[in-house]
Amino acid sequence: VFKASGLTTLPSILLLSPSGSGKTSLLTLFERGTPASTHTSQTPLAVECSLPVGTTASSDKYRSTHDPTSLTHKKFLLIDTPGHGKLRHHAQSSITNPQNLKGLIFLVDSATLSAGDEGLRQTADYLHNILLMLQKRSTGSKAAKALKDIPVLIAANKMDLFTALPAALVKSSLEAEITKVREARSKGLLDSGIGMEDEGEENDDWLGEMGSKEFRFKQMEEFDVSVEVLGGNVCGEEPKVDRWWQWIAERL
Ligand code: GTP
Ligand code: MG
């Protein structure tokens, strides 16, 4: 899809998350400076973005200010994917067949992540699956194997809403909920008899540290996946996305 546009050489950042968390809004904000109104996405969308003034890509850090190339803002490709459960293969194929992928932004609606909220369960479920894909990428396609370190930003969006959880709570709530998903999955596998034969061997569908009681994002470091949680908002009176820009800049 992206090949024909000739943009393949640009470093890319992949946006993914459940429906309604604000991915397309973020894409329009990054592309034009203001968020446009959106409809739920049915296809992926890639746009060329430039780092804003005053943000330096890490690859340009040591370039002299007299170097004319430092005057052009670093460009990258932002790839938006549909969050609907039936359309997530788009996001997944961007991971299994990555093209110059520099990082993943998992955008969450921080106002739907309270304990017992259906949004929390669905978000943790999707995030669990994505992290497991990244953990298992060494057994995937050649392109997936080539992905060395994969940085994941959990962008805690909608901080303008008073019902939004602060970023630290978004992090701990997701960790606790992923712990439950992980347990349920491994129990499901046992009940169905899958994996019984190789009992005692490593269960490669277990996310994070084997034998750990609680899941922590830190456990992903062993698989060269770094996870960071930073808050912000795309809409509201004033968008606050500077920390996300900074995170992207450090990956380019
Ligand atoms: P799918 O395409 O279905 O996967 O959803 P999406 O993640 O692309 O969500 P989208 O960008 O369409 O946004 C969903 C709704 O959330 C829209 O009504 C946005 O206006 C709203 N929204 C996005 N960001 C924010 C935010 O920071 N604060 C508030 N209050 N609303 C937001
Ligand atoms: Mg969308």
Side-chain angles (χ1 to χ4, degrees):
V1 185
F2 308 128
K3 232 176 210 142
S5 59
L7 297 171
T8 39
T9 51
L10 283 179
S12 68
I13 299 282
L14 181 67
L15 269 177
L16 71 177
S17 67
S19 201
S21 45
K23 296 178 293 299
T24 310
S25 308
L26 177 67
L27 175 113
T28 57
L29 173 68
F30 276 8
E31 189 188 18
R32 329 168 179 171
T34 45
S37 74
T38 58
H39 297 288
T40 189
S41 306
Q42 298 192 24
T43 53
L45 177 66
V47 301
E48 199 180 303
C49 297
S50 306
L51 283 182
V53 183
T55 317
T56 311
S58 64
S59 54
D60 289 339
K61 215 181 326 193
Y62 303 107
R63 229 186 265 281
S64 148
T65 45
H66 302 296
D67 183 338
T69 53
S70 70
L71 295 174
T72 57
H73 295 291
K74 190 85 180 181
K75 282 186 165 49
F76 65 99
L77 204 60
L78 189 63
I79 305 166
D80 178 24
T81 59
H84 189 281
K86 289 188 176 158
L87 299 172
R88 290 184 187 164
H89 56 274
H90 291 297
Q92 284 156 1
S93 65
S94 295
I95 297 173
T96 47
N97 288 303
Q99 294 184 359
N100 207 0
L101 185 62
K102 297 297 184 192
L104 268 61
I105 300 183
F106 193 91
L107 196 69
V108 303
D109 179 344
S110 314
T112 65
L113 299 180
S114 306
D117 195 316
E118 182 57 20
L120 175 61
R121 207 194 54 74
Q122 286 178 8
T123 304
D125 197 65
Y126 191 11
L127 184 55
H128 169 275
N129 294 354
I130 293 298
L131 292 177
L132 191 60
M133 271 187 82
L134 296 178
Q135 175 177 317
K136 289 167 68 174
R137 69 190 184 278
S138 55
T139 58
S141 73
K142 217 173 138 192
K145 269 184 206 148
L147 284 178
K148 288 262 177 306
D149 309 295
I150 310 190
V152 177
L153 169 63
I154 298 177
N157 191 28
K158 307 202 185 181
M159 285 299 171
D160 56 304
L161 300 176
F162 81 98
T163 45
L165 295 185
L169 268 181
V170 166
K171 183 178 182 189
S172 57
S173 304
L174 285 173
E175 286 176 333
E177 197 68 19
I178 288 176
T179 301
K180 290 186 198 165
V181 174
R182 188 169 76 165
E183 268 163 26
R185 292 288 168 85
S186 97
K187 188 168 178 302
L189 285 179
L190 281 180
D191 290 349
S192 67
I194 298 172
M196 290 297 271
E197 280 106 89
D198 43 41
E199 214 183 331
E201 273 182 40
E202 270 204 13
N203 175 359
D204 43 304
D205 279 325
W206 178 265
L207 183 71
E209 188 192 335
M210 280 306 289
S212 59
K213 219 170 143 46
E214 308 283 339
F215 173 76
R216 295 282 179 269
F217 289 123
K218 215 172 173 345
Q219 294 169 10
M220 296 308 296
E221 282 170 15
E222 197 192 317
F223 307 98
D224 297 319
V225 178
S226 70
V227 183
E228 211 175 324
V229 184
L230 298 172
N233 54 276
V234 175
C235 304
E237 254 168 56
E238 207 183 313
K240 267 193 83 168
V241 292
D242 39 317
R243 302 222 279 162
W244 301 343
W245 269 130
Q246 196 53 49
W247 184 90
I248 292 172
E250 284 162 15
R251 264 93 211 156
L252 298 180

